[in-house]
Amino acid sequence: MAGPTNINGFMTAEEVKALAKFVPGTREEYQKYNQLAYNLKLNTALPTTVHIEPTNDCNQTCVMCVHPDMKRTAQNIDGDVAMKAINECADFGIYAVHFFFFGEPFMNRRTVDYIKHAKERGIPLVSVTTNFTTIKSSEIEALVTSGLDSIHISFEGRDRESYRAIRGTDSYNKVIRNLDKLREYKAKHGSESPWISMTYVRTSETDEQIEDYMDMWRDRVNHFHISPQFDYIGRAPIRQSQDDPNSGQIMDRDLTERLPCRQLWLRLVVLSNGELVPCSQNIDGELSIGNIKDMTIAEAWQGDKMADLRAQHLVNKIDPSCVCSKCIDWDWSGRVDERPTLEKGQVQDLVLGK
């Protein structure tokens, strides 16, 4: 990766400016740059990750999700809007495009076409998150031939009954069949992609139960993502029976000494109605910094609304009317299941670079 990456060393103004304009070219650079962008609060020209929401409609009612409370009209993204977003990401050199937000992507029958177009435009990392219940067999094969890099299958429950209780549909066996089809198509085409991750959101499970769950799937998938349970400002159905959301003891949820939200320096979401929001929990888009129909991703990212929101977070003086003011999910970003912890007494070593 070009430029300095050791933040303990002196960095000249020119080095900081060059780092802010850096465009990742490999997965290693992308992951390292994500951390630098947030740690240094870089004034980057672009987000490193863009989410495009194929639809905000969903066929499941998961107990840890606030989808039933959504005020936005359920709709598929307009084809021209989706293509504009994909093409801008390709033209600007954005490394990762993720086809998912609040909805089941494959309820929009054009999602596979969007994935294919994103790969044809040369976007390095294209991924999708799905409950894998509505996809057709031909679409599963197209995921392999399109060049999709990774697929994240949302699947909670160690058996059919627990799955149904958590996700609200009796689709346990269907997901297993579709996962087996995906593996068969990968073998048929001799393809290592898409990389398969099984994602599991904690609710009330113990670590031992999570281990049992992973044991069931180790031979079928490449990776597990055990996600903390998000609070969504206490709106999810599961929160009615909980004192605190189950973060797996890896997230800081303090509001009095909160730090700037990580997402404001990393990602941007294109909602199905074209609104642009810098938060992956903002279900109704109140944080919109513009609409892609009227501006580019770069213009929104560098605009006054984004600058004002970041400024509020930097000094922890967030307007009470802003949805951020009561959010306790500010410490979430990316693969927090593998986040290292800092033990007491290690701060001095961190500062001294030991």
Side-chain angles (χ1 to χ4, degrees), residues 72-350:
R72 283 189 290 140
T73 300
Q75 65 182 84
N76 290 348
I77 193 170
D78 180 82
D80 290 339
V81 171
M83 288 299 183
K84 182 176 189 288
I86 294 168
N87 290 332
E88 284 187 10
C89 289
D91 293 340
F92 291 145
I94 290 172
Y95 187 83
V97 171
H98 191 51
F99 288 96
F100 172 72
F101 190 53
F102 272 100
E104 167 46 43
F106 295 112
M107 290 183 71
N108 182 341
R109 299 265 77 95
R110 295 192 63 184
T111 296
V112 173
D113 295 331
Y114 297 146
I115 290 171
K116 181 180 179 182
H117 182 66
K119 290 309 299 180
E120 288 175 344
R121 284 301 320 271
I123 295 173
L125 178 60
V126 177
S127 62
V128 66
T129 293
T130 171
N131 61 38
F132 225 36
T133 63
T134 67
I135 193 167
K136 299 177 181 179
S137 180
S138 59
E139 293 171 327
I140 296 175
E141 184 169 18
L143 293 181
V144 178
T145 58
S146 69
L148 177 69
D149 296 286
S150 64
I151 182 170
H152 306 260
I153 301 173
S154 301
F155 191 97
E156 286 81 16
R158 293 174 296 156
D159 52 42
R160 184 176 176 182
E161 289 72 26
S162 59
Y163 176 96
R164 182 169 52 212
I166 294 172
R167 302 199 67 87
T169 65
D170 189 12
S171 306
Y172 182 86
N173 291 330
K174 179 183 291 186
V175 177
I176 294 174
R177 288 195 299 270
N178 285 340
L179 176 57
D180 287 341
K181 286 180 183 178
L182 176 60
R183 296 171 66 237
E184 290 170 7
Y185 285 129
K186 286 177 64 175
K188 172 184 174 181
H189 292 280
S191 176
E192 293 294 323
S193 60
W195 181 82
I196 304 171
S197 177
M198 193 72 80
T199 65
Y200 193 112
V201 176
R202 289 179 179 270
T203 51
S204 59
E205 298 82 0
T206 65
D207 289 341
E208 290 74 18
Q209 289 172 325
I210 293 292
E211 281 295 327
D212 290 344
Y213 165 85
M214 292 192 294
D215 286 341
M216 292 171 51
W217 299 103
R218 291 191 195 279
D219 295 334
R220 282 192 171 110
V221 300
N222 299 104
H223 178 261
F224 295 98
H225 179 79
I226 308 303
S227 173
Q229 179 192 334
F230 303 128
D231 181 62
Y232 296 114
I233 316 181
R235 289 164 59 189
I238 189 69
R239 293 290 286 114
Q240 297 175 15
S241 60
Q242 291 178 316
D243 293 328
D244 297 295
N246 185 0
S247 65
Q249 299 179 324
I250 58 173
M251 286 172 62
D252 187 332
R253 293 193 181 275
D254 184 22
L255 277 178
T256 59
E257 294 187 279
R258 61 178 288 171
L259 301 178
C261 178
R262 295 176 181 273
Q263 300 194 56
L264 299 182
W265 279 264
L266 301 175
R267 72 185 70 214
L268 192 64
V269 182
V270 183
L271 300 184
S272 55
N273 59 11
E275 295 296 318
L276 299 163
V277 297
C279 172
S280 63
Q281 270 96 283
N282 189 210
I283 185 171
D284 286 317
E286 302 97 324
L287 285 178
S288 175
I289 56 174
N291 195 298
I292 196 170
K293 299 173 186 176
D294 307 317
M295 60 175 57
T296 67
I297 288 171
E299 289 169 341
W301 189 251
Q302 298 165 18
D304 291 344
K305 288 186 177 180
M306 192 67 180
D308 179 66
L309 187 59
R310 285 178 179 155
Q312 292 182 52
H313 278 250
L314 282 167
V315 295
N316 197 14
K317 300 288 184 182
I318 301 172
D319 190 313
S321 66
C322 179
V323 293
C324 299
S325 63
K326 297 179 181 178
C327 174
I328 62 172
D329 291 332
W330 55 268
D331 190 31
W332 176 79
S333 180
R335 296 170 57 185
V336 291
D337 52 321
E338 297 178 9
R339 178 187 296 187
T341 57
L342 184 67
E343 301 297 333
K344 290 182 179 180
Q346 288 185 311
V347 174
Q348 184 177 9
D349 290 345
L350 178 66

